[in-house]
Amino acid sequence: QVQLVESGGGAVQAGGSLRLSCTISGYTYSTYCLAWFRQVPGGPREGVASFESDGAMDYADFVKGRFTISKDNAENILHLHLQMNSLKPEDSGMYICAAAARPKCPADDYNFHFWGRGTQVTVAS
């Protein structure tokens, strides 16, 4: 059973930094797309950043130059990280980790197979 558990959220002042982590256990597929999404109450899920099994990374325009996605793994557990710098109030939301068992990231969030519950980020102005 694949499980994704996020951590690292919190409240910070604008201009501050946070590092989110997602621990992915039970993932046995040979390829993957791992991604961070963001959602605010009543709003859609927005893709923030992604990491494909060939090492390709991608970012939403609104985080380019400020956020960095990375991955490491140990003993069959994947760890996905999101370093968030120069945070803005509009970066606030629930940050959710997701995985798709395919080599290229799907264009639509409904094609991701596994989801975490999220970790809340609040950026005060």
Side-chain angles (χ1 to χ4, degrees):
Q1 181 180 356
V2 180
Q3 292 187 317
L4 290 76
V5 180
E6 300 93 336
S7 61
V12 295
Q13 295 290 320
S17 298
L18 281 173
R19 179 178 169 83
L20 306 184
S21 294
C22 176
T23 299
I24 305 168
S25 59
Y27 192 95
T28 59
Y29 302 93
S30 59
T31 59
Y32 52 78
C33 163
L34 308 177
W36 286 99
F37 289 82
R38 178 172 79 194
Q39 189 168 29
V40 298
R45 252 183 327 221
E46 302 178 286
V48 175
S50 63
F51 193 109
E52 295 175 343
S53 49
D54 65 357
M57 293 172 278
D58 196 20
Y59 298 90
D61 287 343
F62 53 81
V63 303
K64 281 182 180 176
R66 300 188 297 123
F67 290 13
T68 303
I69 192 169
S70 62
K71 178 199 72 68
D72 57 67
N73 49 275
E75 297 185 10
N76 297 320
I77 294 179
L78 297 171
H79 297 277
L80 184 70
H81 308 286
L82 187 68
Q83 177 67 43
M84 306 190 297
N85 299 327
S86 303
L87 283 161
K88 306 175 182 180
E90 52 265 41
D91 292 323
S92 297
M94 182 70 75
Y95 282 72
I96 308 163
C97 176
R102 55 181 68 186
K104 291 297 179 185
C105 290
D108 300 298
D109 61 355
Y110 55 77
N111 284 316
F112 280 79
H113 303 105
F114 310 105
W115 292 88
R117 292 177 178 258
T119 185
Q120 180 67 37
V121 171
T122 302
V123 184
S125 57

